[in-house]
Amino acid sequence: MKLGFLTACLPGRTLEELVEWAADQGYAALEVAAWPALGDRPFTATHVDVVGFGAADAERVRALFDKHGLTLSSLAYYDNNLHPDPAERQAVNAHVTACIDAAALLGVPTVGTFVGRDPGRSVAENLRMAGEVFAPLVERAGERGVKIVIENCVMEGWHPDGYPGNLAYSPELWEWMFDLGLYLNYDPSHLVWMGIDPVEALRPYVDRVAHAQAKDIEVFPERRNRYGWPGRAVVREDPWDVGWWRYRVPGLGQVDWRRLVDTLYEGGFDGVLSVEHEDPVWGGTEARVETGLQVAHRTLSPLLVA
């Protein structure tokens, strides 16, 4: 198993700067952000522009990673593949396709995205639509030797009332995804606030985890007593501020990383564990983000067998 991080936490850095810094800090891999270049949402970045990506681009990126002894573990484009606007949905699907093609040129094994959701439709209706949307994507990925991995993020901010906006939040939905030919980019933090044991939930499905993310979470039960599970309802200016939990870098939250890494090893996982830095305490400036990544490295690196 190798330790990496998702580059979206440092959107202002070039890929060259990120690779050099990661290698200097002892990281062995990068999960590279590949959102469209004109995007402006938080926790997104364009460190590989997959639009018009060709063989020469792939050679340049491969040479960069080889020079510093790093692995490019996945291309990351997490967006709503079931967007309620048909034009926007088609654009998202098309960008996933471009990521698949770029990953194939690079020899990268996975492309990460979300299932998503149309919040105006029932779960059952969304699942039927997802079967249609993902069939050609899975087929294209398979033809090119790439796996599509879905992060089990709840994406509560995509739903007007804070309910799940990404239909991949539970083992029940993972099994449905696997039937479509999708794989899991496993992140334990999202399960904790939903009341699911992240270790026991993972144990039966390690063989379908093609990539893993390391994000921690800090939960405040006394605040949940006020807001309930969906979070703030009366005043919620930020759709992502539920009011009773927050993400942290590994080691500063409640995930038992020793048990979790051991479960991955026991199940045969030998891929990349990628730190996803969304910690508000160690955010806000590049220097603080770097410190957060260093904290995560100190927490996780002793648990990984070189």
Side-chain angles (χ1 to χ4, degrees), residues 15-186:
L15 184 60
E16 289 77 11
E17 291 169 336
L18 286 162
V19 169
E20 182 176 358
W21 187 85
D24 287 345
Q25 298 300 315
Y27 277 97
L30 287 177
E31 180 184 5
V32 175
W35 275 264
L38 298 179
D40 59 356
R41 290 181 303 172
F43 300 112
T44 65
T46 310
H47 291 126
V48 166
D49 188 350
V50 299
V51 178
F53 194 83
D57 302 302
E59 178 57 33
R60 176 183 56 81
V61 173
R62 285 197 303 267
L64 173 65
F65 276 76
D66 290 345
K67 176 183 176 182
H68 293 277
L70 260 61
T71 295
L72 203 173
S73 64
S74 188
L75 293 183
Y77 170 54
Y78 292 92
D79 212 321
N80 190 351
N81 279 281
L82 303 183
H83 197 283
D85 181 338
E88 181 66 21
R89 184 191 319 141
Q90 185 177 19
V92 173
N93 302 161
H95 196 76
V96 172
T97 300
C99 287
I100 292 168
D101 293 344
L105 286 172
L106 286 162
V108 173
T110 65
V111 166
T113 191
F114 290 138
V115 171
R117 179 179 187 170
D118 178 345
R121 300 189 185 192
S122 69
V123 171
E125 289 171 325
N126 272 275
L127 297 187
R128 285 194 292 271
M129 181 167 63
E132 299 172 0
V133 166
F134 277 96
L137 297 174
V138 169
E139 182 178 6
R140 191 181 189 95
E143 291 171 348
R144 285 156 176 75
V146 175
K147 293 177 179 176
I148 300 176
V149 292
I150 304 294
E151 183 190 348
N152 55 292
C153 183
V154 184
M155 295 305 288
E156 64 287 346
W158 279 352
H159 193 285
D161 296 316
Y163 301 132
N166 175 39
L167 297 179
Y169 55 83
S170 67
E172 177 189 22
L173 287 164
W174 301 348
E175 292 175 358
W176 161 80
M177 284 170 19
F178 301 154
D179 287 342
L180 297 182
L182 299 167
Y183 290 79
L184 188 61
N185 189 7
Y186 177 74

